[in-house]
Amino acid sequence: MPTIKIILLLTLSLLLPLFAKAQRGSYAKLAAGDHFGMVIKTDGTLWGFGDNGHGEVGNGTNVECHTPVKVLSNVKSVDCGVDLTMAILNDGTLYGWGMNRNGQVGDGTTTDRYKPVKIIPNVNSVSAGGWHAMAILNDGTLYGWGSNEYGQLGNGSTTDSQVPLKILSNVKSVSCGGGHTMALLEDGSLYAWGNNEHGQLGDGTTKNHLTPVKVLSNVRSVDCGDNHTMAILNDGTLYGWGDNSDGQLGDGKTTNRLTPVKVLSNVKTVSSGYWHTMAIINDGSLYGWGWNEAGELGTGNTEDSYIPVKVESGVSKVASGEGFTIYITEDGDFKTVGEVFEE
């Protein structure tokens, strides 16, 4: 292991826990991206850490951050993609920053943004993907922007957009993967579009779709990884499909799945990373499975797991990034496992 990486990892392992202890019980929400993460404290302040080559941390520089730095105040929610961050303030205003090569910030340019820039108002929720983003307005309309190479914007074309485009109505939640998108409608039906090379759309094919196709019904929530998708049904059953090369679906195999397969029961929330997945069940237990080379499963070793393994009890929130996982305990403490920084 290169000396510089050892120094970076030791610095992170020392400083992040110290920061968490100093602010014990003060964390509310979090998001993880491509070797960087964002955390919202209970006072509404947003803090970022990790790689920052495209300004994804949002502190006005492109220098990696080994301790969390304050970025914004009055923040309601946040999501991270590949070198991209999107945050919604309490007044519903959406801000974006980071990599903008494909217009994924949504500000009408392709210039990387090192600080938050205002995108659109009246936003209820947002999801940042590989090189695109999607947002749901307060009236349930879904908008998308950024890369559209695989049709991941869902507007019937493969042309990138540097500004938000209206896609669907009556949308409850949305999740962006590396090149695909999943949207949950108010009636519980789940729709998919974009890249389907690994079966991540779940429609039984490997054909890309430029417009939404229905996949499931009675869905409560959905979360996309790079090339896999996980969904929780209304009864708490967790299903997965798509890329399974590292066991990230958790069905005990490494075979890609073109249609949903059952993984767990009694699931409260799920977070799909690049090649691993983490889930919290109803009793607060955290489980992980898939790729584990960097220790991102939190099992204390670096062995991949093709089935869910229990990591910790008393967990309330979790977010899976590339090579690491961050989570908040029921006491409000912030923890990280794996390697945040790249070599």
Side-chain angles (χ1 to χ4, degrees), residues 134-195:
M134 309 291 293
I136 304 171
L137 301 195
N138 292 331
D139 63 3
T141 55
L142 177 68
Y143 283 77
W145 59 93
S147 175
N148 201 22
E149 179 181 359
Y150 305 103
Q152 58 261 52
L153 298 187
N155 66 337
S157 79
T158 55
T159 302
D160 294 355
S161 178
Q162 298 167 15
V163 295
L165 303 174
K166 184 176 179 180
I167 309 300
L168 277 177
S169 300
N170 302 313
V171 179
K172 179 181 179 181
S173 67
V174 66
S175 183
C176 299
H180 73 294
T181 305
M182 308 294 298
L184 177 59
L185 301 195
E186 291 290 350
D187 65 2
S189 56
L190 183 64
Y191 284 78
W193 59 92
N195 188 12

Side-chain angles (χ1 to χ4, degrees), residues 44-195:
T45 55
L46 178 67
W47 300 72
F49 61 92
D51 282 356
N52 195 28
H54 296 274
E56 55 265 38
V57 170
N59 65 333
T61 76
N62 63 349
V63 179
E64 57 190 27
C65 299
H66 295 277
T67 57
V69 293
K70 184 178 177 181
V71 180
L72 279 173
S73 298
N74 302 312
V75 179
K76 182 175 73 173
S77 65
V78 65
D79 198 45
C80 302
V82 174
D83 304 329
L84 172 70
T85 304
M86 308 297 298
I88 305 172
L89 301 196
N90 290 331
D91 65 2
T93 305
L94 177 67
Y95 284 78
W97 59 94
M99 182 186 285
N100 201 22
R101 181 176 59 201
N102 300 100
Q104 56 263 55
V105 170
D107 66 342
T109 77
T110 55
T111 302
D112 287 359
R113 299 297 186 178
Y114 294 176
K115 288 185 176 181
V117 293
K118 185 176 179 180
I119 311 302
I120 48 175
N122 304 314
V123 177
N124 181 58
S125 64
V126 67
S127 179
W131 294 273
H132 74 296
M134 309 291 293
I136 304 171
L137 301 195
N138 292 331
D139 63 3
T141 55
L142 177 68
Y143 283 77
W145 59 93
S147 175
N148 201 22
E149 179 181 359
Y150 305 103
Q152 58 261 52
L153 298 187
N155 66 337
S157 79
T158 55
T159 302
D160 294 355
S161 178
Q162 298 167 15
V163 295
L165 303 174
K166 184 176 179 180
I167 309 300
L168 277 177
S169 300
N170 302 313
V171 179
K172 179 181 179 181
S173 67
V174 66
S175 183
C176 299
H180 73 294
T181 305
M182 308 294 298
L184 177 59
L185 301 195
E186 291 290 350
D187 65 2
S189 56
L190 183 64
Y191 284 78
W193 59 92
N195 188 12

Side-chain angles (χ1 to χ4, degrees), residues 267-283:
V267 178
K268 178 183 178 182
T269 186
V270 66
S271 178
S272 305
Y274 284 71
W275 303 287
H276 78 291
T277 305
M278 307 295 294
I280 304 171
I281 63 174
N282 292 334
D283 67 0

Side-chain angles (χ1 to χ4, degrees), residues 188 190 216-223 229-241 249 260-270 279-282 289 308:
L190 183 64
L216 276 176
S217 299
N218 303 312
V219 177
R220 188 176 76 201
S221 66
V222 64
D223 196 66
T229 305
M230 307 298 296
I232 305 173
L233 301 195
N234 290 330
D235 64 1
T237 306
L238 178 66
Y239 283 79
W241 59 95
L249 298 186
V261 293
K262 184 177 178 179
V263 181
L264 270 178
S265 299
N266 303 313
V267 178
K268 178 183 178 182
T269 186
V270 66
I280 304 171
I281 63 174
N282 292 334
W289 58 93

